[in-house]
Amino acid sequence: MRRTDITRDDGTWTALSLEVRSRNRPGLCLLSAERRLLLTQLSRPVLLAAVDGDRCGVEFWRTDAYRPPLPPLRAETARALAGHPDRWAHRFAQHLLDSPAGPLHDGCWLLSPESPLLRWNHGRLPPHEYWNSMLVEGHPDGYIDWFVHSGSWEILPLRPMPDADDSRVKAYRKQARDGTLPPVLLWWVSGLDCHLILDGHARLAAAIAESLTPPLLHLHRTAPADEVDEGTERAVRLYEAELARFAELRERQGSAVPDGAAVAGPSLARRLRELRTEQRPTWAWPLPGGETQWRRIAREVTADRRWPEDR
């Protein structure tokens, strides 16, 4: 895996770009069949989902098979890395690469603390109210409402959220108050239009219990390397053409006309950064056997409870 730190113009670290190779299929794998989705971990069903016929939402059934791809995080590690999201990102990236049960596969990815979830509290709700409102409820089954929460990209836990008095949550609550709480790892899945919690259910519960904004690391796919290369060439050509346009103006109107670098330069830098960080849809592999196989798995997982209700 090739890692590249993404920084702003002033050198401030903003994200970690990952180029994954030689991993054709992930251990945490999304499969699709028409309007049906199946998330498996090492071939075990973790989450079944059925998109409404009118595309207004998704019914889901969550099993108890999910296991986080990251090892337990020690308190001394949390203290050592507190306030350093870049170091956490490198550490999480290595764990994701080492684990056979994570979502990484061939292509380019981004790990960033700048999740859009941090910008959507337009009602200025207290942190505990806002983050509670972003959690999708229901176990084993529930509903992701695309009509009410269109574009808000809620958070779907892959296992039940622990209570505030859970022993792990109590330990993390102290870290949250001390400012040493490790980040919650979220994976944006376009087919569900929401985030899945890959690691940190108890940490998120602790931040909510303390009414604090949780530190996050947001994982999503980005453009493949060849697309970035092509986009870079186009952006450079546009930059050069803009400089040439300004040069012609200077020849006709004199040195009072700027050379254009102050206008074209920031635009080029922004486009190059966007090429490496913009979100791309989540890959899903065809489910062998299609919808018939999906329904067979659903019957087994739900003990033949006639789920879902087709809409």
Side-chain angles (χ1 to χ4, degrees):
M1 177 173 62
R2 179 182 175 185
R3 309 182 201 178
T4 305
D5 289 303
I6 307 295
T7 60
R8 296 193 181 95
D9 294 339
D10 62 3
T12 304
W13 183 89
T14 60
L16 180 63
S17 175
L18 311 174
E19 186 177 350
V20 180
R21 302 168 183 168
S22 303
R23 183 169 289 194
N24 296 328
R25 189 157 168 166
L28 187 63
C29 186
L30 191 66
L31 305 167
S32 66
E34 299 296 331
R35 292 185 291 109
R36 307 291 191 251
L37 294 172
L38 171 65
L39 182 66
T40 64
Q41 188 175 41
L42 303 178
S43 300
R44 297 188 303 270
V46 167
L47 183 77
L48 292 101
V51 178
D52 291 347
D54 57 9
R55 304 300 195 273
C56 283
V58 185
E59 292 186 70
F60 69 86
W61 187 287
R62 183 175 57 195
T63 74
D64 292 317
Y66 179 71
R67 298 295 180 267
L70 272 62
L73 303 176
R74 296 182 176 275
E76 54 267 28
T77 303
R79 288 191 295 271
L81 302 186
H84 295 282
D86 54 337
R87 295 175 64 187
W88 276 119
H90 278 274
R91 189 180 187 90
F92 280 16
Q94 190 60 53
H95 286 320
L96 287 172
L97 183 65
D98 292 341
S99 172
L104 294 183
H105 57 75
D106 289 353
C108 296
W109 300 76
L110 195 76
L111 258 179
S112 172
E114 299 182 353
S115 169
L117 290 166
L118 299 170
R119 303 191 295 269
W120 285 331
N121 189 5
H122 303 302
R124 299 294 188 269
L125 296 173
H128 71 279
E129 290 186 29
Y130 172 67
W131 292 99
N132 259 324
S133 72
M134 298 304 292
L135 287 172
V136 180
E137 298 180 347
H139 186 74
D141 59 328
Y143 188 71
I144 304 169
D145 195 326
W146 288 349
F147 184 78
V148 174
H149 296 279
S150 176
S152 66
W153 298 346
E154 296 174 287
I155 301 173
L156 177 61
L158 284 176
R159 54 188 184 185
M161 291 291 291
D163 296 329
D165 58 356
D166 180 274
S167 60
R168 295 167 301 153
V169 175
K170 287 182 177 179
Y172 282 132
R173 290 181 68 171
K174 183 178 186 303
Q175 290 184 336
R177 294 191 298 270
D178 294 343
T180 62
L181 186 67
V184 177
L185 180 58
L186 301 177
W187 174 33
W188 181 65
V189 176
S190 60
L192 298 172
D193 197 24
C194 72
H195 299 83
L196 302 183
I197 302 178
L198 291 179
D199 190 81
H201 293 74
R203 298 196 294 277
L204 180 56
I208 292 173
E210 293 296 322
S211 197
L212 296 171
T213 298
L216 302 176
L217 278 174
H218 181 275
L219 177 70
H220 65 260
R221 281 190 62 245
T222 58
D226 57 348
E227 186 176 326
V228 172
D229 291 341
E230 292 174 4
T232 299
E233 291 179 5
R234 287 195 300 270
V236 170
R237 286 197 298 269
L238 289 173
Y239 172 76
E240 293 173 341
E242 189 71 353
L243 293 185
R245 185 176 71 85
F246 272 90
E248 292 177 3
L249 289 174
R250 283 171 67 89
E251 287 182 7
R252 294 198 303 265
Q253 301 180 21
S255 59
V257 176
D259 62 8
V263 175
S267 178
L268 173 64
R270 181 173 58 256
R271 184 55 190 147
L272 294 179
R273 186 165 52 248
E274 288 173 349
L275 283 168
R276 299 173 66 183
T277 61
E278 282 182 334
Q279 220 154 224
R280 289 292 186 273
T282 310
W283 275 2
W285 281 257
L287 175 64
E291 187 175 345
T292 300
Q293 174 68 0
W294 187 93
R295 290 187 178 279
R296 185 190 67 78
I297 295 172
R299 288 195 299 271
E300 292 179 357
V301 167
T302 65
D304 204 12
R305 299 187 195 180
R306 298 184 180 180
W307 176 92
E309 296 180 6
D310 287 319
R311 303 187 185 193

